[in-house]
Amino acid sequence: MNDVPNEKIFSLEEIDYAKFWGTNDRLLGFVRLLFPKLKLVARGDMLKAIGSDEDIEWFEGKLQAMRTYYNKFGRLTENAIMGIMESDSDGSVRHPHVENMPASPEAELSDEVLVHGRNGLLIKARTPNQQRLVKAIHDNDMVFAVGPAGTGKTYTAVAMAVRALKNKEVRRIVLTRPAVEAGENLGFLPGDLRDKLDPYLQPLYDALRDMIPQQKLLSYWEDNTIEIAPLAFMRGRTLDNAFVILDEAQNATSAQIKMFLTRMGRNAKFVITGDLSQVDLPRHQQSGLLQATQLLKDVKGIEIIELNNSDVIRHRLVTQIIQAYEKVLPTTESQATLQD
């Protein structure tokens, strides 16, 4: 590796420089934070990058992706920049410091946009396993997505649900989670039922807000086109013409998982997501997700997708944190199961 500082000048003369970087170069400051190993010097419509050859090459790919995004949507946002930074599908060179990213030709991702989100956000599968998850959901009526935090299990499932709703493939979306986390009990939380549930369901709200305009989302909630409810509320129901997601399924008991899976009605898709390394059930209770993946792995029409550290799309430190814990806890129930 050549660590001798080098420099390269990029011209932005073909775009509105002030609009590209925002007021007082706000977005340029944001980009500088994302490239701490580079010195970025802006003079008018010229931008100089000073650093190692590899860092400059990586920056050049990302800058080109930012320009492409700007030319398409007429603006650049922090969300768009973060999406570009986290994606390897923009034609850029992978950063030398990002580990565990697939490099084989077979790992090349489809450029298909799952959902056109808010503020020009393009929501796509960003890793090979996420692409497998998308295909599995398309091809099967029931899919299990199992993997560690930050691998996009829930986000990808919600994107597929929103797409199905927009394409009129289903009439509604039902999102549910077990209200069991860190030993807390709904009855001790303040407020009405909606207030009590909000802390548990926040990741689902966050995903929906990325994908659906606020007013449209509110109308969907009001007429129950999109329903968010605790798992206990699924008992006794039959879910027809619906895209149904059970999130945090590792915290459901075997009885709850069986109850949920048997709610499946006509023209329904069920996606069950969970992280078997983060089970919050009492020690004497086995995770229902663990049992379900074992019992149903050979059932035709049901597919189980396992995501791993290479699919983490949060901050790069999340991957390293997961790896560190795996070294300390190499024989956890979840890992032993996923390796079977």
Side-chain angles (χ1 to χ4, degrees):
M1 181 184 297
N2 179 18
D3 291 325
V4 177
N6 201 347
E7 65 179 50
K8 186 165 185 177
I9 297 176
F10 302 95
S11 172
L12 301 175
E13 60 183 6
E14 78 282 6
I15 62 178
D16 184 335
Y17 176 87
K19 191 175 180 182
F20 185 75
W21 290 127
T23 306
N24 298 322
D25 287 344
R26 180 178 58 85
L27 293 178
L28 178 58
F30 182 65
V31 169
R32 285 188 174 117
L33 293 175
L34 298 174
F35 293 88
K37 293 181 179 253
L38 285 179
K39 182 179 181 180
L40 300 177
V41 181
R43 289 191 176 90
D45 58 10
M46 308 298 287
L47 180 65
K48 180 190 291 187
I50 304 171
S52 72
D53 288 339
E54 285 179 291
D55 287 324
I56 290 175
E57 188 177 7
W58 185 55
F59 172 74
E60 183 174 13
K62 297 302 181 184
L63 179 62
Q64 182 55 47
M66 292 179 210
R67 290 159 76 163
T68 300
Y69 183 96
Y70 174 84
N71 288 333
K72 183 172 182 178
F73 295 101
R75 59 180 303 208
L76 193 62
T77 66
E78 290 185 2
N79 278 343
I81 293 171
M82 285 304 300
I84 290 167
M85 290 294 295
E86 294 169 352
S87 174
D88 249 16
S89 60
D90 55 40
S92 66
V93 177
R94 273 187 297 275
H95 191 278
H97 303 296
V98 177
E99 301 175 356
N100 296 320
M101 294 302 294
S104 65
E106 298 83 59
E108 290 297 321
L109 301 179
S110 164
D111 203 36
E112 179 186 12
V113 176
L114 302 180
V115 177
H116 290 268
R118 299 175 61 190
N119 300 320
L121 181 64
L122 301 181
I123 298 169
K124 307 177 183 181
R126 296 181 182 176
T127 73
N129 282 332
Q130 287 182 10
Q131 188 67 21
R132 287 180 59 228
L133 177 57
V134 168
K135 186 177 187 305
I137 294 172
H138 181 271
D139 295 343
N140 299 275
D141 287 336
M142 184 176 292
V143 176
F144 289 81
V146 183
T151 51
K153 306 180 298 295
T154 301
Y155 202 83
T156 302
V158 172
M160 292 295 287
V162 171
R163 184 169 78 165
L165 183 65
K166 287 184 175 181
N167 292 342
K168 302 187 184 305
E169 297 168 11
V170 296
R171 294 178 186 171
R172 56 184 173 143
I173 297 172
V174 179
L175 307 173
T176 184
R177 298 179 85 184
V180 178
E181 298 201 8
E184 294 180 6
N185 187 303
L186 284 176
F188 291 97
L189 294 175
D192 58 19
L193 180 61
R194 178 71 176 268
D195 293 329
K196 292 174 186 288
L197 292 173
D198 275 355
Y200 297 97
L201 304 172
Q202 198 60 48
L204 299 174
Y205 292 135
D206 291 343
L208 288 169
R209 289 187 183 109
D210 275 356
M211 302 174 197
I212 302 175
Q214 184 66 20
Q215 287 303 119
K216 187 68 173 178
L217 185 55
L218 289 173
S219 70
Y220 280 156
W221 280 334
E222 288 173 2
D223 65 12
N224 274 339
T225 297
I226 296 180
E227 177 187 353
I228 303 180
L231 180 57
F233 283 32
M234 297 297 106
R235 191 173 301 279
R237 301 179 62 182
T238 300
L239 301 171
D240 295 323
N241 300 304
F243 196 117
V244 187
I245 300 172
L246 170 57
D247 192 34
E248 297 288 341
Q250 77 275 3
N251 288 328
T253 65
S254 295
Q256 286 175 324
I257 288 281
K258 179 183 176 183
M259 176 273 292
F260 171 77
L261 298 181
T262 54
R263 301 306 93 202
M264 194 174 203
R266 294 169 297 176
N267 189 39
K269 275 193 183 287
F270 274 38
V271 180
I272 302 92
T273 71
D275 177 1
L276 286 167
S277 69
Q278 295 188 21
V279 177
D280 295 313
L281 292 170
R283 284 186 175 276
H284 66 276
Q285 279 191 314
Q286 184 188 49
S287 169
L289 176 61
L290 173 61
Q291 183 187 58
T293 54
Q294 292 172 332
L295 292 176
L296 304 176
K297 62 183 178 182
D298 296 323
V299 176
K300 188 175 181 181
I302 297 177
E303 189 161 351
I304 299 171
I305 301 296
E306 296 177 5
L307 298 98
N308 54 50
N309 298 348
S310 67
D311 301 299
V312 172
I313 55 173
R314 293 179 182 171
H315 193 284
R316 63 180 179 80
L317 288 178
V318 174
T319 300
Q320 297 176 31
I321 290 168
I322 293 170
Q323 290 172 339
Y325 273 90
E326 285 181 345
K327 290 177 183 177
V328 176
L329 304 171
T331 58
T332 59
E333 181 183 67
S334 61
Q335 290 168 332
T337 300
L338 292 180
Q339 290 168 358
D340 286 346

